[in-house]
Amino acid sequence: MSGSEDKLSDYESKRDFTRTPEPGAEEAEFDWADERPVFVIQQHDASSLHYDLRLEVDGVLKSWAVPKGPSTDPSEKRLAVPTEDHPLQYADFEGNIPEDEYGGGTVLLWDRGSYRNLKEDEVDDGEEVPKVAEQVADGHLTVWLEGEKISGGYALIETGSGDDERWLLIKMKDSEADARRNPVSTERESVKSGMTLEEIAAQKDDGGEEDDG
Ligand code: MN
């Protein structure tokens, strides 16, 4: 059994794959990612609207729910709540999860690309670079994102622990920092389909299979 199957037991136990269009734990290939590892940000209109930031780490997508989405302004700290690991194939997912299923609601693929471990730039020659998985376990990671909307250095920092565990997503001060941009509100379309959240949501009513009677 591969390690990623163990990590995805939480993901799989929450979902009925005969009902949700979300992917299981099959192999993943992405025609939009020349380089790996990948990251995605999915806008998710569930019980509350949020953005799911997912980073490929050791064969799964490490995930955080970010209520306000990412900022390009280093002075903004965005709450990021860890959620269960998702399968790699989820990085291509967009669509409508049935309302009565776990996470029910519309998912829009808001940004996608590759990322690299910024600790590679910080260590001296010959020193071992802390792996991203180790940084996640330590509650402090720094990555350089190369997305279509979001790019540059981001830090994810854990504060609190146990039931109070919360993380902060913070734009680092670099060439990509820009306090005037606000892509969450100005660049709302999907990078996959070009659709808005409303347009994707409208598709669930087009199938004609649902019977409200
Ligand atoms: Mn979500």
Side-chain angles (χ1 to χ4, degrees):
M1 184 188 283
S2 77
S4 61
E5 283 167 19
D6 289 338
K7 290 177 201 154
L8 293 172
S9 58
D10 199 14
Y11 173 86
E12 292 183 317
S13 69
K14 290 179 174 180
R15 288 167 177 80
D16 177 353
F17 292 102
T18 66
R19 303 219 53 224
T20 179
E22 296 166 292
E26 59 264 26
E27 283 293 300
E29 279 185 49
F30 307 112
D31 57 10
W32 45 268
D34 300 335
E35 294 182 37
R36 300 283 285 272
V38 300
F39 86 96
V40 294
I41 301 171
Q42 283 155 322
Q43 189 182 17
H44 187 186
D45 188 12
S47 50
S48 63
L49 186 68
H50 61 273
Y51 293 77
D52 290 297
L53 168 64
R54 310 189 195 279
L55 303 174
E56 177 181 358
V57 180
D58 294 346
V60 297
L61 293 172
K62 287 282 166 197
S63 300
W64 292 261
V66 183
K68 291 185 174 176
S71 176
T72 55
D73 179 353
S75 71
E76 289 271 333
K77 296 178 175 63
R78 294 284 161 92
L79 176 67
V81 181
T83 57
E84 76 273 18
D85 294 350
H86 278 50
L88 263 188
Q89 193 64 48
Y90 212 93
D92 264 337
F93 179 70
E94 175 171 284
N96 294 293
I97 303 168
E99 294 294 343
D100 54 352
E101 291 297 302
Y102 178 78
T106 303
V107 176
L108 175 150
L109 189 48
W110 189 79
D111 202 9
R112 63 187 175 189
S114 59
Y115 79 90
R116 67 185 179 83
N117 180 357
L118 266 180
K119 289 283 193 295
E120 289 166 6
D121 302 352
E122 293 173 16
V123 300
D124 295 325
D125 283 350
E127 251 184 81
E128 206 172 317
V129 180
K131 293 187 170 66
V132 172
E134 294 166 1
Q135 296 179 50
V136 172
D138 289 345
H140 191 150
L141 75 148
T142 51
V143 290
W144 183 276
L145 305 178
E146 285 286 351
E148 297 180 34
K149 297 173 183 171
I150 291 292
S151 59
Y154 278 83
L156 272 158
I157 299 164
E158 185 183 358
T159 66
S161 58
D163 288 345
D164 291 327
E165 185 188 3
R166 59 212 293 272
W167 293 58
L168 297 172
L169 174 67
I170 306 166
K171 178 76 196 75
M172 295 167 74
K173 291 176 183 166
D174 55 36
S175 58
E176 301 300 317
D178 187 346
R180 293 160 305 177
R181 270 187 81 204
N182 187 7
V184 162
S185 57
T186 61
E187 299 173 46
R188 298 178 61 231
E189 291 84 10
S190 162
V191 293
K192 180 176 182 174
S193 64
M195 289 192 283
T196 62
L197 196 66
E198 293 74 19
E199 288 168 333
I200 296 167
Q203 290 188 325
K204 70 174 174 239
D205 303 321
D206 291 345
E209 290 168 63
E210 305 279 308
D211 183 359
D212 291 327

